[in-house]
Amino acid sequence: MMTTEPVNNDTLRVLYQSDDFIVVDKHWDIRIDSKMWYEKHTVQAQLRHHFPQLADPSTYYGFRFCHQLDFSTSGALCVALNKAAAGRAYRCFKDRTVTKAYLALIRGWVEEETQTLEFSIGKNSTEGKTHMMCIEGTDGCENPKPCQTELTVLEYGLYDGDPVTKVVLQPLTGRTHQLRVHCSAIGHPIVGDFTYSSGTDNTPYRMMLHAYLLHIPLDPQPLLVYAGDPFLPTMDPKWLPQRSLRTPTTTVGALLERRVEGDRRIKEEERERVRKEEERRKHKKEQRTEEESEEQRRQCQEWLSEWAGD
């Protein structure tokens, strides 16, 4: 069950488990791992507590985390249970074939229902802000890199009396703090984001960002996990929806269908490219064989002519 209560190592919600992977619903108040002795509660510690037999002593933390979620972000987190599985997942993340979708409550009412956020993001070198990221063109922004986020509005409402918008965020790239920085850049920071509100948004019990969907196109069986919706009035009575445009399920389902269809089209185009390349090579080989045969016939004719002359 999703909860507004602080974390402890006894509570671990498993969304999916196989011989190769575990996907857990990471709590909003926990780090994935830590080398600090005082960090008693981590996802790694939870996994060791619940699945000691699955820990791999050859790794530093005992478990191979396939990707990262910020300390204050909850939701679907994939853990590989062996080196081969980790390698398969890593290739999907490296090739950017993984689909992730997040739910968020953001400050204010967003007018444009669907939009693509394309601010390049770099590290903030300003003194006192080196733990933060920033958008290109701001003071202290180092080495900004292009990145994209798709934003879709789900609901308009109030949080603790203030206007907020519930949205789906799909990162098309994977920069540090990307979703938080992009939302802040359009003037709609995530509710409860203490860092990117300059320390002012400290009333909510958590940052309202949740990894709702994770799809890893593993072969032969893709991994698809939904982590539920924690931003409901039954969970947090301070959130009061007023106007609903679409549901998370249908929105993310359509998003995933588009992604799967796009990936299928890319694979077909690649197969067609390979087929044409093979045909081209075969044709060149046949041409070369034909030319060689013609050369052999010419040489044979020369030999015959010489013999006839003798």
Side-chain angles (χ1 to χ4, degrees), residues 240-300:
L240 181 63
Q242 293 186 323
R243 183 161 69 95
S244 178
L245 303 182
R246 45 186 72 84
T247 68
T249 305
T250 55
T251 303
V252 171
L255 174 156
L256 184 59
E257 282 180 13
R258 289 197 302 272
R259 179 62 186 267
V260 170
E261 175 61 24
D263 289 346
R264 184 191 62 78
R265 192 163 56 247
I266 289 170
K267 286 181 180 178
E268 283 184 355
E269 289 172 356
E270 177 62 16
R271 281 196 294 267
E272 181 65 14
R273 187 192 67 78
V274 170
R275 185 188 67 79
K276 286 182 177 179
E277 180 64 19
E278 288 177 350
E279 282 187 354
R280 188 182 66 81
R281 287 175 183 169
K282 184 180 177 183
H283 181 65
K284 284 186 72 174
K285 185 177 180 181
E286 287 173 350
Q287 270 189 325
R288 193 162 54 245
T289 303
E290 226 175 89
E291 289 169 0
E292 288 172 355
S293 298
E294 183 61 34
E295 177 64 16
Q296 288 171 351
R297 282 195 294 272
R298 188 186 63 77
Q299 288 181 354
C300 185

Side-chain angles (χ1 to χ4, degrees), residues 17-222:
Q17 184 173 355
S18 69
D19 291 340
D20 290 331
F21 297 98
I22 290 179
V23 181
V24 301
D25 187 357
K26 178 191 168 297
H27 193 276
W28 48 266
D29 189 28
I30 192 172
R31 298 189 191 282
I32 292 176
D33 46 46
S34 177
K35 296 179 181 178
M36 304 302 179
W37 62 270
Y38 53 82
E39 291 280 2
K40 304 297 183 185
H41 302 310
T42 62
V43 177
Q44 178 262 343
Q46 288 182 324
L47 288 167
R48 278 192 177 276
H49 179 70
H50 287 269
F51 303 103
Q53 75 282 6
L54 298 180
D56 186 343
S58 69
T59 66
Y60 186 89
Y61 292 110
F63 293 91
R64 295 175 172 88
F65 296 99
C66 299
H67 56 116
Q68 296 289 314
L69 292 177
D70 291 347
F71 171 79
S72 300
T73 303
S74 60
L77 175 67
C78 184
V79 184
L81 298 178
N82 55 69
K83 191 173 182 180
R88 289 162 55 212
Y90 170 76
R91 281 190 294 274
C92 292
F93 280 96
K94 182 175 179 291
D95 295 340
R96 294 185 179 179
T97 58
V98 174
T99 302
K100 295 184 283 185
Y102 294 72
L103 296 179
L105 297 182
I106 60 179
R107 294 287 179 187
W109 288 338
V110 180
E111 292 184 9
E112 195 172 345
E113 293 181 12
T114 59
Q115 54 185 297
T116 302
L117 312 181
E118 298 187 279
F119 302 96
S120 295
I121 292 177
K123 191 164 181 59
N124 197 331
S125 63
T126 307
E127 187 177 353
K129 295 185 177 182
T130 53
H131 61 294
M132 298 172 65
M133 307 298 284
C134 53
I135 62 169
E136 187 174 19
T138 55
D139 290 341
C141 189
E142 285 188 351
N143 192 27
K145 295 180 180 178
C147 50
Q148 288 185 321
T149 301
E150 297 285 351
L151 182 152
T152 305
V153 172
L154 299 177
E155 290 180 296
Y156 297 106
L158 302 174
Y159 188 85
D160 204 15
D162 296 322
V164 300
T165 306
K166 186 174 181 177
V167 298
V168 166
L169 299 170
Q170 183 194 6
L172 303 182
T173 49
R175 309 296 179 208
T176 301
H177 297 180
Q178 176 177 321
L179 303 181
R180 300 164 65 183
V181 173
H182 272 178
C183 288
S184 180
I186 61 170
H188 297 284
I190 295 171
V191 174
D193 190 347
F194 184 81
T195 300
Y196 289 97
S197 66
S198 301
T200 60
D201 199 351
N202 58 359
T203 304
Y205 73 94
R206 61 162 292 181
M207 182 176 71
M208 305 300 178
L209 181 62
H210 177 72
Y212 178 70
L213 164 80
L214 177 64
H215 177 261
I216 307 177
L218 299 166
D219 192 26
Q221 183 61 44

